[in-house]
Amino acid sequence: MLATTIDVTVNKTEHSKLAGFSLENLPFGRDFTDHMLEADYEGGEWKNAEIKPYQPLLLSPSLAALHYGQAIFEGIKAYKNAEGDAFIFRPYDNFKRFNISAERMAMPQVPEEIFIEGMKQLVALDKAWIPQIPDHSLYIRPFMFSSDEVIGVRPSENYKFLNILSPTGPYYNAPMRIYVEEQYVRAVPGGIGYAKAAGNYGSSMYATAQAKKKGYDQVLWTDAFEHKYVQEIGTMNVIFIIGDKAITPDLGAGTILAGVTRDSALTLLKEAGFTVEERPLSIDEIIDAYKAGVLYEVFGTGTAATITMIKELRYKDFVMNFDTDKWRTAPTIKKWLTDIREGRREDKYGWMVKV
Ligand SMILES: *Cc1c(COP(=O)(O)O)cnc(C)c1O
């Protein structure tokens, strides 16, 4: 732990880009607000924590992160309620997860002053960028990378932490067609599957591209040894409604990202009366439930899209189709979550942190 408190200095822009800019219907991740947060880890401590105008970085071609991939990130959202107050959804959960990712990647821990307090200050400063429109939000992207300018393979001594903000929404998530992957793997026990590390995404793109060629939107990853137990989809965890149970793969093997939306959805599923089971779930069990007519719903959970329904699941030549128009559970959980975030449903779990 750092003994001293870290102050984040603030240098405001003199030229806001917001005037004349419409916050309606923005695609995910393309536009950024007026300010960003930047901090440096040097000589074993965090310094130069600063909120400043959003701007490019000047980096050396020998920057360690570009060669060896010590890079991690988070994804969080801020919302406005009807009164115009701004709230961030469960940022402390992302803070914890960020430092778990950092530890696994041999990167330094980021202190709360920079991650949480810096985020609150940044969002407060750019509060006018939070769209006050249903299904819209401000996406928050904290990230860290190694910044030694030496191409030797070892953990870097220097790091940069940044946080950038992107207004977004609505995320139109059409029901997806999912291909159950059994050639490529995303994560193995002992690997980095549980870390939100950049390399996990780079390594998944080829398999996803192959699935797209076959007409699928994403792959459902399976375990590396038998391709038997399901893991997760792209940037989403996956939940199966089988009978009166909500079943999702457990986090025990360290091959799955512990999604904050996953945890939120499981909490709300319990509230809705489901028995929630976190345990290994095999593709055979899924197919048997489908054949027996008790696999009612399959959906993905993640910050970007919240809940995404799956209308087709393909394993080898076996295709499972679903009439998502008839579903009750996924739409209800999505509505409850959105209502909590936008202030129309009681925040009984204390998820919303006021800015
Ligand atoms: C970010 C992410 C998720 C979803 O996590 P949330 O905290 O719900 O956004 C799931 N899987 C992977 C691989 C992810 O990167």
Coordinates of all heavy atoms in Angstrom, one line a residue, residues 73-75 94 97 186 193 196 201 232-237 257-262 301-304, ligand 1:
F73 N -7.1 -3.9 -19.2 CA -8.1 -2.8 -19.3 C -9.3 -3.2 -18.4 O -9.4 -4.3 -17.9 CB -8.5 -2.5 -20.7 CG -9.2 -3.6 -21.4 CD1 -10.6 -3.6 -21.6 CD2 -8.5 -4.7 -22.0 CE1 -11.2 -4.6 -22.2 CE2 -9.2 -5.7 -22.6 CZ -10.6 -5.7 -22.7
E74 N -10.2 -2.2 -18.4 CA -11.6 -2.4 -17.7 C -12.6 -1.8 -18.6 O -12.3 -0.9 -19.5 CB -11.6 -1.9 -16.3 CG -11.2 -2.8 -15.2 CD -12.0 -4.1 -15.3 OE1 -13.2 -4.1 -15.6 OE2 -11.4 -5.2 -14.9
G75 N -13.9 -2.1 -18.3 CA -15.0 -1.5 -19.0 C -16.1 -1.3 -18.0 O -16.5 -2.2 -17.3
N94 N -14.9 -3.4 -10.5 CA -13.9 -3.3 -11.6 C -12.5 -3.0 -11.1 O -11.5 -3.4 -11.6 CB -14.4 -2.3 -12.7 CG -15.7 -2.7 -13.3 OD1 -16.8 -2.4 -12.8 ND2 -15.6 -3.3 -14.4
R97 N -11.0 -6.1 -9.9 CA -10.7 -7.0 -11.0 C -9.5 -6.5 -11.7 O -8.6 -7.3 -12.2 CB -11.9 -7.2 -11.9 CG -11.7 -8.2 -13.0 CD -12.9 -8.5 -13.8 NE -13.3 -7.4 -14.6 CZ -14.5 -7.3 -15.3 NH1 -15.4 -8.2 -15.1 NH2 -14.7 -6.2 -16.0
R186 N -9.5 -20.3 -26.0 CA -9.2 -19.0 -25.4 C -8.4 -19.0 -24.2 O -7.5 -18.2 -24.0 CB -10.6 -18.3 -25.1 CG -10.4 -17.0 -24.4 CD -11.7 -16.4 -24.0 NE -11.5 -15.1 -23.3 CZ -11.2 -15.1 -22.0 NH1 -11.2 -16.1 -21.2 NH2 -11.0 -13.9 -21.4
G193 N -6.9 -16.5 -18.6 CA -8.3 -16.3 -19.0 C -9.1 -15.4 -18.0 O -10.0 -14.7 -18.4
K196 N -8.4 -9.4 -17.5 CA -8.8 -8.6 -18.7 C -7.6 -8.1 -19.3 O -7.3 -6.9 -19.2 CB -9.8 -7.5 -18.2 CG -11.0 -7.4 -19.1 CD -12.1 -6.5 -18.6 CE -13.1 -6.1 -19.6 NZ -14.1 -7.1 -20.0
Y201 N -7.7 -10.9 -26.2 CA -8.6 -10.4 -27.3 C -7.9 -10.6 -28.6 O -8.5 -11.1 -29.6 CB -9.1 -9.0 -27.0 CG -9.7 -9.0 -25.6 CD1 -9.0 -8.9 -24.5 CD2 -11.1 -9.4 -25.5 CE1 -9.5 -9.1 -23.2 CE2 -11.6 -9.6 -24.2 CZ -10.8 -9.4 -23.1 OH -11.4 -9.6 -21.9
E232 N -17.2 -19.1 -22.1 CA -17.8 -17.8 -22.3 C -17.8 -17.4 -23.8 O -17.2 -18.2 -24.6 CB -17.2 -16.8 -21.4 CG -15.7 -16.5 -21.7 CD -15.1 -15.5 -20.7 OE1 -15.8 -14.4 -20.5 OE2 -14.0 -15.7 -20.3
I233 N -18.4 -16.3 -24.1 CA -18.5 -15.9 -25.5 C -17.8 -14.5 -25.6 O -18.3 -13.6 -25.0 CB -20.0 -15.7 -25.9 CG1 -20.8 -17.0 -25.7 CG2 -20.2 -15.1 -27.2 CD1 -22.3 -16.9 -25.8
G234 N -16.9 -14.4 -26.5 CA -16.3 -13.0 -26.8 C -16.0 -12.2 -25.6 O -15.2 -12.6 -24.8
T235 N -16.8 -11.2 -25.4 CA -16.6 -10.3 -24.2 C -17.8 -10.5 -23.3 O -18.2 -9.6 -22.6 CB -16.4 -8.9 -24.5 OG1 -17.5 -8.4 -25.3 CG2 -15.1 -8.7 -25.3
M236 N -18.4 -11.7 -23.3 CA -19.6 -11.9 -22.5 C -19.5 -13.3 -21.8 O -19.1 -14.2 -22.3 CB -20.9 -12.0 -23.4 CG -21.2 -10.6 -24.0 SD -22.8 -10.7 -24.9 CE -22.4 -12.0 -26.1
N237 N -20.0 -13.3 -20.6 CA -20.3 -14.5 -19.9 C -21.6 -15.1 -20.4 O -22.4 -14.4 -21.0 CB -20.4 -14.3 -18.4 CG -19.0 -13.8 -17.8 OD1 -18.9 -12.6 -17.4 ND2 -18.0 -14.6 -17.8
L257 N -13.6 -14.9 -17.4 CA -13.5 -13.5 -16.8 C -14.7 -13.4 -15.8 O -15.9 -13.7 -16.2 CB -13.7 -12.5 -18.0 CG -13.1 -11.1 -17.8 CD1 -14.0 -10.2 -17.0 CD2 -11.7 -11.1 -17.3
A258 N -14.5 -13.0 -14.6 CA -15.5 -12.8 -13.6 C -16.3 -11.5 -13.9 O -16.0 -10.5 -13.4 CB -14.9 -12.8 -12.2
G259 N -17.3 -11.6 -14.8 CA -18.1 -10.5 -15.2 C -18.9 -9.8 -14.1 O -19.5 -10.5 -13.3
V260 N -18.9 -8.5 -14.1 CA -19.7 -7.8 -13.1 C -21.2 -7.9 -13.5 O -22.1 -8.0 -12.7 CB -19.2 -6.3 -13.0 CG1 -20.1 -5.5 -12.1 CG2 -17.8 -6.2 -12.6
T261 N -21.4 -7.9 -14.8 CA -22.8 -8.1 -15.3 C -23.3 -9.5 -15.0 O -24.4 -9.7 -14.7 CB -22.9 -7.8 -16.8 OG1 -22.0 -6.7 -17.2 CG2 -24.3 -7.5 -17.3
R262 N -22.4 -10.5 -15.1 CA -22.7 -11.9 -14.8 C -23.2 -11.9 -13.3 O -24.2 -12.5 -13.0 CB -21.4 -12.7 -14.9 CG -21.5 -14.2 -14.4 CD -20.1 -14.8 -14.5 NE -20.1 -16.2 -14.0 CZ -20.0 -16.6 -12.8 NH1 -19.9 -15.6 -11.8 NH2 -19.9 -17.8 -12.5
T301 N -23.9 -12.0 -21.0 CA -23.9 -10.8 -20.1 C -22.5 -10.1 -20.2 O -21.5 -10.7 -20.2 CB -24.1 -11.2 -18.7 OG1 -23.0 -12.0 -18.2 CG2 -25.4 -12.0 -18.5
G302 N -22.6 -8.8 -20.4 CA -21.4 -8.0 -20.4 C -21.7 -6.5 -20.4 O -22.8 -6.1 -20.7
T303 N -20.8 -5.7 -19.9 CA -21.0 -4.2 -19.8 C -21.5 -3.6 -21.1 O -22.4 -2.7 -21.0 CB -19.7 -3.6 -19.2 OG1 -19.5 -4.1 -17.9 CG2 -19.9 -2.1 -19.2
A304 N -20.8 -3.9 -22.2 CA -21.1 -3.2 -23.4 C -22.6 -3.4 -23.8 O -23.3 -2.4 -24.1 CB -20.2 -3.7 -24.5
Ligands
LIG1 C1 -15.3 -7.8 -20.0 C2 -15.6 -9.2 -20.2 C3 -16.7 -9.9 -19.8 C4 -17.9 -9.2 -19.2 O1 -17.5 -8.6 -18.0 P1 -18.4 -7.4 -17.4 O2 -17.8 -7.0 -16.1 O3 -19.8 -7.9 -17.2 O4 -18.4 -6.3 -18.4 C5 -16.8 -11.3 -20.1 N1 -15.9 -11.9 -20.7 C6 -14.8 -11.3 -21.1 C7 -13.7 -12.2 -21.8 C8 -14.6 -10.0 -20.9 O5 -13.5 -9.4 -21.4

